[in-house]
């Protein structure tokens, strides 16, 4: 009997205290007086400042014409007149195909030689950067 | 009507004879219903290789280019006529329609170049 009443007293004592105490956290980060909402802390979206310019080949801007024999002769060998491959010319896919088609057409039309490079174009600046056995 | 370009290589001749050949060619074009846009002289130069035509081996020639609009039906007839002409060494007809490149070349895009040309 005494134990029951003692327990009841204890329970009453405990029930006065709150079961889940409310915790208050002081925000010490913000030094401004005004209360700003947290969404302004997000990073501002801008374009990538370290973006590289897109890689272009040397013939990107110029149209390839089959009557322009001087331009086409820069992509053939001076010794044999053979067309250089993509790994030598450094052109992109579309331009390499255009140049090859133009050279073949010019050859069949009688504008460009097949087995050699026109002597007046041999002194032209080298854009392919190929080293021949001299 | 589609647009064509006739690249003509003529035998190395004197001016009046060249004029006569070109006149003949352009009159043929008119007869077949073509509209000639213009005629360009690309100069008389050495041929890149010797061309044997009409029982003669040529090493010099006059290069000409005729821009014209015509129906596609006349092209084969025109080429046959030019092959028979003894003063013409090599006739070639090319299509000259403006091609809209669907695939962009690396770097430049057609919109950007249009804007550049406007400004």
């Amino acid at each position: 009997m005494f134990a029951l009443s003692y327990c009841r007293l204890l329970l009453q004592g405990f029930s006065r205290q709150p079961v889940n105490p409310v915790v208050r956290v002081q925000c010490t980060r913000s030094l401004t007086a005004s209360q700003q909402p947290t969404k302004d802390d997000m990073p501002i979206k801008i374009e990538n400042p370290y973006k590289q310019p897109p890689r272009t080949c040397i013939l990107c801007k110029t149209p390839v014409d089959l009557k322009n024999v001087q331009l086409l002769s820069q992509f053939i060998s001076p010794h044999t007149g053979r067309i250089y491959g993509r790994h030598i010319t450094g052109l992109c896919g579309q331009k390499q195909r255009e140049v090859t088609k133009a050279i073949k057409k010019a050859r069949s039309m009688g504008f460009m030689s097949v087995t050699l490079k026109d002597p007046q174009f041999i002194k032209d600046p080298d854009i392919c950067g190929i080293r021949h056995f001299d | 009507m589609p647009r064509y370009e006739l690249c003509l290589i003529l035998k190395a001749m004197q001016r009046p004879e060249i004029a006569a050949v070109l006149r003949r060619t352009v009159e043929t074009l008119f007869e077949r219903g073509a509209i000639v846009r213009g005629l360009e002289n690309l100069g008389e130069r050495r041929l890149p290789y010797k061309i044997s035509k009409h029982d003669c081996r040529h090493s010099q020639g006059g290069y000409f280019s005729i821009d014209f609009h015509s129906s596609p039906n006349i092209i084969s007839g025109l080429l046959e006529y030019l092959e028979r002409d003894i003063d013409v060494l090599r006739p070639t007809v090319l299509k000259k329609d403006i091609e809209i490149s669907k695939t962009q070349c690396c770097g430049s895009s057609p919109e950007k170049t249009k804007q550049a040309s406007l400004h």
Side-chain angles (χ1 to χ4, degrees):
Chain A
M1 282 295 286
F2 175 73
L4 265 172
S5 60
Y6 180 69
C7 284
R8 217 174 270 156
L9 271 171
L10 276 172
L11 277 167
Q12 282 173 9
F14 280 137
S15 64
R16 272 184 215 132
Q17 289 171 17
V19 179
N20 293 321
V22 173
V23 177
R24 282 182 203 203
V25 175
Q26 286 294 326
C27 188
T28 50
R29 272 189 304 165
S30 56
L31 297 167
T32 54
S34 59
Q35 300 287 322
Q36 280 181 358
T38 47
K39 64 183 176 189
D40 276 9
D41 280 336
M42 294 301 289
I44 307 159
K45 283 196 177 149
I46 53 168
E47 217 184 284
N48 184 6
Y50 304 106
K51 201 169 185 177
Q52 308 271 349
R55 286 198 299 182
T56 58
C57 66
I58 43 174
L59 284 188
C60 251
K61 311 281 179 186
T62 45
V64 173
D65 187 23
L66 60 90
K67 290 189 288 264
N68 188 355
V69 180
Q70 189 158 21
L71 175 68
L72 298 176
S73 297
Q74 286 187 301
F75 298 103
I76 60 169
S77 162
H79 305 295
T80 51
R82 295 180 75 182
I83 307 172
Y84 287 141
R86 206 166 301 185
H87 58 288
I88 299 171
T89 60
L91 295 172
C92 68
Q94 199 187 353
K95 283 292 166 183
Q96 175 75 21
R97 238 177 302 127
E98 276 181 34
V99 164
T100 309
K101 290 268 177 199
I103 290 173
K104 288 184 176 171
K105 265 193 179 165
R107 282 171 177 174
S108 80
M109 280 167 58
F111 277 78
M112 210 162 108
S113 171
V114 182
T115 44
L116 51 94
K117 192 169 176 176
D118 201 318
Q120 52 180 306
F121 301 141
I122 286 177
K123 296 278 163 67
D124 283 351
D126 183 28
I127 45 179
C128 294
I130 188 172
R131 290 183 58 220
H132 295 284
F133 289 116
D134 285 318
Chain B
M1 287 204 283
R3 186 169 158 183
Y4 295 100
E5 187 180 339
L6 170 64
C7 292
L8 218 51
I9 306 180
L10 302 180
K11 207 166 76 172
M13 298 177 290
Q14 303 299 320
R15 257 188 99 92
E17 288 156 14
I18 291 181
V21 175
L22 288 171
R23 195 197 187 87
R24 248 199 332 240
T25 317
V26 173
E27 274 174 8
T28 318
L29 279 169
F30 286 150
E31 274 169 36
R32 286 157 205 258
I35 300 163
V36 176
R37 223 176 145 103
L39 171 63
E40 282 166 22
N41 181 1
L42 306 166
E44 183 179 316
R45 27 178 156 149
R46 270 178 75 93
L47 299 175
Y49 41 82
K50 299 252 172 74
I51 296 178
S52 310
K53 195 89 180 179
H54 305 298
D55 303 323
C56 199
R57 201 132 191 262
H58 302 96
S59 50
Q60 312 262 358
Y63 287 71
F64 294 88
S65 160
I66 305 178
D67 221 353
F68 64 97
H69 285 268
S70 79
S71 131
N73 309 324
I74 68 157
I75 299 297
S76 52
L78 177 72
L79 279 170
E80 274 174 35
Y81 168 81
L82 288 166
E83 290 281 330
R84 274 180 274 135
D85 193 337
I86 47 167
D87 292 321
V88 171
L89 295 182
R90 195 160 287 195
T92 324
V93 174
L94 304 166
K95 279 187 278 190
K96 242 205 152 178
D97 289 322
I98 304 159
E99 291 156 19
I100 307 159
S101 60
K102 292 166 194 171
T103 52
Q104 293 168 12
C105 187
C106 50
S108 65
S109 63
E111 295 160 29
K112 277 184 195 168
T113 47
K114 267 184 204 164
Q115 282 170 14
S117 61
L118 281 169
H119 293 306

